[in-house]
Amino acid sequence: QLQLQESGPGLVKPSETLSLTCTVSGASIFSTIYYWGWVRQPPGKGLEWIGNIYYTGTTYYNPSLKSRATLSVDTSLNQFSLRLDSVTAADTGVYYCVIIPHSINCMDVWGKGTTVTVSS
Amino acid sequence: DTVLTQSPGILSLSPGERATLSCRASQTVANNYLAWYQQKPGQAPRLLIHGASSRAPGIPDRFSGSGSGTDFSLTVSRLEPEDVAVFFCHQYGNAPWTFGQGTKVEIK
């Protein structure tokens, strides 16, 4: 059964870097059947796509993040990660990692989400 | 960016009634790559519909999606109390991927 689990610090100071990891179980990060992504949700608001990454390392990002986001894959740990630089209070919210099957090309399985607060 | 506008903002209906949610895109969604998600309080979104009209595995057949181009809809044929949630449409046909602002479904 495909499962995802986000992990990372719940509190980050303004101007610092937010780093989150998503651990994949039930599938290999090398899989050619899936690719991987991140979505976030500010408190009480809607959803925002952050970016996607393939096992090859090819990435696609939302331009709204102005090049602050970096996605990477750690094949030895079967994980993928999100790094977001120069955070502000506007980056506060719940961050979800997602699985995207090539067969349907949209976000299918979601992690439970992890809450990140940007505050000094 | 492709802006998705959902209506109504809030839908309040009785159990057994039919719910119709609308999602209008600011430009044609390539390949009709339009999905619907259900998000219950405190939970992650759950995929209901992809490709505008294909039901995800395990989703009851009272949920159906339709539409093409710029106009899409999600219908819940017979509302049940467990359907209380916010429903989001999402387009993944045009870069960057975008979401609608959501429709909240309440049970009277």
Side-chain angles (χ1 to χ4, degrees), chain A residues 3-120:
Chain A
Q3 286 189 319
L4 302 173
Q5 178 65 61
E6 304 90 349
S7 58
L11 181 64
V12 182
K13 289 183 167 54
S15 81
E16 295 190 345
T17 294
L18 180 164
S19 293
L20 297 175
T21 295
C22 182
T23 301
V24 179
S25 55
S28 168
I29 204 80
F30 280 113
S31 175
T32 56
I33 298 174
Y34 307 110
Y35 54 110
W36 320 96
W38 290 91
V39 174
R40 68 180 183 178
Q41 186 170 32
K45 295 190 177 178
L47 300 160
E48 181 182 31
W49 171 68
I50 297 172
N52 297 336
I53 186 166
Y54 294 75
Y55 79 98
T56 56
T58 301
T59 51
Y60 297 91
Y61 297 106
N62 192 328
S64 69
L65 294 167
K66 296 183 173 61
S67 303
R68 295 189 297 125
T70 303
L71 271 60
S72 60
V73 170
D74 187 331
T75 54
S76 62
L77 295 175
N78 217 43
Q79 295 175 336
F80 61 103
S81 299
L82 166 67
R83 172 180 147 151
L84 189 63
D85 296 327
S86 306
V87 297
T88 69
D91 294 310
T92 292
V94 179
Y95 285 73
Y96 298 98
C97 58
V98 296
I99 291 175
I100 306 157
H102 279 284
S103 60
I104 62 172
N105 253 337
C106 73
M107 294 173 277
D108 186 3
V109 177
W110 295 56
K112 288 181 166 39
T114 187
T115 299
V116 176
T117 301
V118 178
S119 174
S120 54

